Amino acid sequence: MKAIQVADYGNSDQLEVVDADLPEPGAGEVRLEVEAAGINFADIMQRRGVYPGGPDAPYVPGMEAAGTIDVTGEDVDLDEGDRVVAMLNGGGYAEYATANAQMLFPIPEGMRFEEAAGFPVQFLTAHSCLFEWGGLEEGESVLIQAAAGGVGTAAVQLASNHGAEVFGTASTQEKLDLAAELGCDHPINYTETDFREVVDDETDGEGVDLVLESVGDDVFERSLDAMAHFGRMVTYGVASGVPAAAENRRLLFENKTVSGFHLGQAATHDPSRIMKAVPELTEGLTTGDLEVIVGESFALEDAAEAHQYIEDRKSSGKVVLKP
């Protein structure tokens, strides 16, 4: 089979097409014939070699893939030919991949494989950050950084559907328009406007109740500035590559809370806390109340181009690979 391998840590040119043996499923696993693989920013951080606990090069990346079950291992009560999407511990950038049967989700009727490949990571992350970790209530306000990205587009929809007032940042008018279409009440071009000033203006200086932060560096610090007294922040990424820290006296005197979220670690340590959102999300995708936004599709062999496309901040929604 064809697969994409990270030959060594570094730039996107480290992604290369290789011939690989078909993976064989073990007990409790299935093998998927991959129709679409989702790209996450964590894939890029792993490729750069800056992802804590990431794989050693060389390796085949890919944390989520959609396709049909090709072969089932022992103790798996699923059928060959079932359309599923899987959360993976790597290996999704390939024509075939093995997956833990407990981390599979049936693809809703009518959903394309490209859309399905953008469902698990972004919607489970968005839902967990907003509600399970962030405690968002109807009528509260939320600031979503990178609102036109994969997780951002999911979070905007979920927060808007929940009755929250949504602030969102993005870098271009096209991305701002997308966020607005999905339910963002206050789209903010962070290249032209200080998002804190917009939050202050729209909240009479009070700040937002919740922030979803995925950038780090000074965006983390300014997001703290934009929070209301008793405000909460959930940080789930470091897209800038520059980690940030909260000064504890500031949290103390402003009664602010900062929580961290990592989907993979949370699913490993307390899977029920993550997976209980799946029925609600699946129903929303089936009824049309929620939509997976696929911004761009690339052929599998163009994985390096796809990574660079994301790193150049050209992407909106989910970017996927198609074998």
Side-chain angles (χ1 to χ4, degrees), residues 125-195:
T125 296
H127 192 281
S128 297
C129 288
L130 285 170
F131 305 116
E132 187 67 24
W133 269 251
L136 184 66
E137 299 286 348
E138 182 180 357
E140 288 192 315
S141 55
V142 57
L143 169 62
I144 300 169
Q145 303 291 5
V151 174
T153 52
V156 168
Q157 294 176 74
L158 289 166
S160 178
N161 290 354
H162 196 65
E165 181 179 10
V166 182
F167 296 76
T169 65
S171 60
T172 68
Q173 189 58 50
E174 181 181 7
K175 293 181 179 182
L176 294 170
D177 290 344
L178 172 61
E181 290 173 9
L182 296 175
C184 182
D185 302 292
H186 307 286
I188 306 167
N189 188 327
Y190 66 80
T191 68
E192 300 176 353
T193 306
D194 186 339
F195 63 79

Side-chain angles (χ1 to χ4, degrees), residues 238-319:
V238 192
S240 67
V242 182
E247 200 273 317
N248 69 320
R249 289 176 299 178
R250 180 177 186 187
L251 300 181
L252 189 159
F253 284 100
E254 297 178 16
N255 287 288
K256 295 180 177 179
T257 301
V258 176
S259 301
F261 177 78
H262 185 280
L263 178 62
Q265 291 295 322
T268 297
H269 288 86
D270 192 356
S272 63
R273 190 175 180 188
I274 303 299
M275 305 304 283
K276 66 183 182 182
V278 171
E280 175 190 340
L281 294 173
T282 301
E283 181 181 0
L285 292 167
T286 301
T287 61
D289 290 336
L290 298 173
E291 178 184 2
V292 178
I293 305 300
V294 178
E296 195 72 33
S297 297
F298 289 82
L300 180 66
E301 57 266 28
D302 294 328
E305 181 183 347
H307 270 221
Q308 196 59 51
Y309 183 80
I310 295 172
E311 291 180 271
D312 290 340
R313 299 184 180 181
K314 295 179 179 179
S315 61
S316 298
K318 191 72 174 184
V319 178

Side-chain angles (χ1 to χ4, degrees), residues 5-15 43-59:
Q5 179 178 269
V6 175
D8 200 358
Y9 297 136
N11 297 325
S12 58
D13 58 8
Q14 292 296 329
L15 292 166
D43 297 340
I44 293 172
M45 294 182 67
Q46 287 183 355
R47 192 207 69 220
R48 293 173 179 171
V50 296
Y51 194 85
D56 295 328
Y59 67 93

Side-chain angles (χ1 to χ4, degrees), residues 203-224:
T203 64
D204 296 324
E206 293 295 323
V208 294
D209 300 298
L210 176 65
V211 178
L212 265 56
E213 199 283 317
S214 59
V215 182
D217 203 7
D218 67 320
V219 175
F220 178 92
E221 186 69 24
R222 291 190 293 119
S223 294
L224 279 175

